[in-house]
Amino acid sequence: VPAEEARSGMAGGQCEFHEADAHSGCWEEALRTPVAPELLHRSGLDDLASITYTSGTTGSPKGVVLSHRNWIEVHKNLLIDRDLRSDDLVVHISPFSHAAAAYLEAWFLRGACCLIVDATVEALIDASRVHAITAFTCVPTFLTKLVNSAALGTARFDHLRIVSYGGEPISSDTLEKSWRALGPVLWQNYRQAEAMVTCAHMSPADHLDAHGQLRKGYTGKPYTYADLIVRDPATGHEVPAGQPGELTI
């Protein structure tokens, strides 16, 4: 974000703005000392950190309250189970009111470079011609638009290694086209607003079954700090493997 925009965006807020040249060493120093200890007493782990608004599965709008402890677990899951690297250049397309905010924070904690662009296929492709993009995050609807765009052939995804998608089901057609067009870089994320971003995930390797075929209709494996159990909705008891039931998180 240009320095002028960052300063204007912080106008009136309780923030300090520090501008650092990429080659000055200031960024590395900031990573070594990311927290001001004298400010930590201002909030506790179970205090309110955010309210995420969602219509959820039921279609009834509600505000989901998340604590600082919830967010710590989200970032622990992302930093432990996802392949986020300090030398990544990540393009964020989805709105930060959505799951993209968690990815932005986690990649920042890792020390990566984050690039924010308009939520359009054209903006992503334009960015790819200028920057050596290694990852981007999006919803399947965006992937559908990307793989069916006539301009896809002009994109430069030579360094791309992760496309993190989720937030809605992905169609078989989009999954197959994305795998062919972008390569084995797809990383699926399954989430609920109440559990925020990290419920289950499926790495590029896990997208393929034992016969090398693309898996379809899978949510992936639970994150390290998430428990996923399929229960009988009538009794609440865990059902045997292979039996249908209600997913509880």
Side-chain angles (χ1 to χ4, degrees), residues 169-190:
I170 187 170
S171 69
S172 296
D173 181 64
T174 296
L175 180 62
E176 292 170 357
K177 285 183 176 179
S178 299
W179 195 264
R180 289 197 301 269
L182 303 174
V185 298
L186 302 181
W187 203 312
Q188 178 181 273
N189 190 79
Y190 173 74

Side-chain angles (χ1 to χ4, degrees), residues 20-204:
D21 182 86
H23 306 290
S24 67
C26 295
W27 178 245
E28 288 74 13
E29 176 61 26
L31 290 177
R32 286 194 291 270
T33 56
V35 174
E38 66 276 9
L39 301 180
L40 290 178
H41 69 281
R42 293 190 177 183
S43 62
L45 287 175
D46 296 313
D47 289 339
L48 170 67
S50 66
I51 302 177
T52 302
Y53 287 92
T54 174
S55 59
T57 306
T58 64
S60 301
K62 57 185 178 295
V64 174
V65 176
L66 295 175
S67 68
H68 290 281
R69 189 188 304 274
N70 294 144
W71 277 104
I72 287 173
E73 299 307 307
V74 165
H75 292 135
K76 283 164 61 177
N77 279 333
L78 288 172
L79 293 171
I80 290 171
D81 293 327
R82 301 293 293 271
D83 186 15
L84 313 184
R85 303 179 186 178
S86 61
D87 59 353
D88 275 327
L89 195 160
V90 190
V91 175
H92 297 277
I93 302 164
S94 300
F96 292 131
S97 57
H98 198 251
Y103 286 114
L104 175 71
E105 293 160 356
W107 252 300
F108 258 134
L109 288 171
R110 188 64 82 195
C113 177
C114 296
L115 179 65
I116 303 169
V117 302
D118 291 336
T120 65
V121 167
E122 293 76 18
L124 173 63
I125 291 176
D126 287 346
S128 77
R129 300 190 191 112
V130 179
H131 304 281
I133 297 171
T134 63
F136 67 86
T137 67
C138 65
V139 294
T141 297
F142 184 90
L143 273 180
T144 300
K145 294 178 181 178
L146 177 64
V147 297
N148 288 290
S149 170
L152 179 60
T154 67
R156 295 293 304 273
F157 290 133
D158 304 340
H159 302 278
L160 189 65
R161 62 181 198 83
I162 290 179
V163 174
S164 184
Y165 70 94
E168 62 183 3
I170 187 170
S171 69
S172 296
D173 181 64
T174 296
L175 180 62
E176 292 170 357
K177 285 183 176 179
S178 299
W179 195 264
R180 289 197 301 269
L182 303 174
V185 298
L186 302 181
W187 203 312
Q188 178 181 273
N189 190 79
Y190 173 74
R191 62 178 283 273
Q192 290 184 346
E194 294 83 353
M196 201 45 195
V197 177
T198 52
C199 295
H201 65 105
M202 188 161 63
S203 68

Side-chain angles (χ1 to χ4, degrees), residues 223-240:
Y223 279 93
T224 296
Y225 292 98
D227 292 322
L228 276 66
I229 302 173
V230 179
R231 301 181 185 275
D232 184 326
T235 66
H237 296 152
E238 185 174 353
V239 302

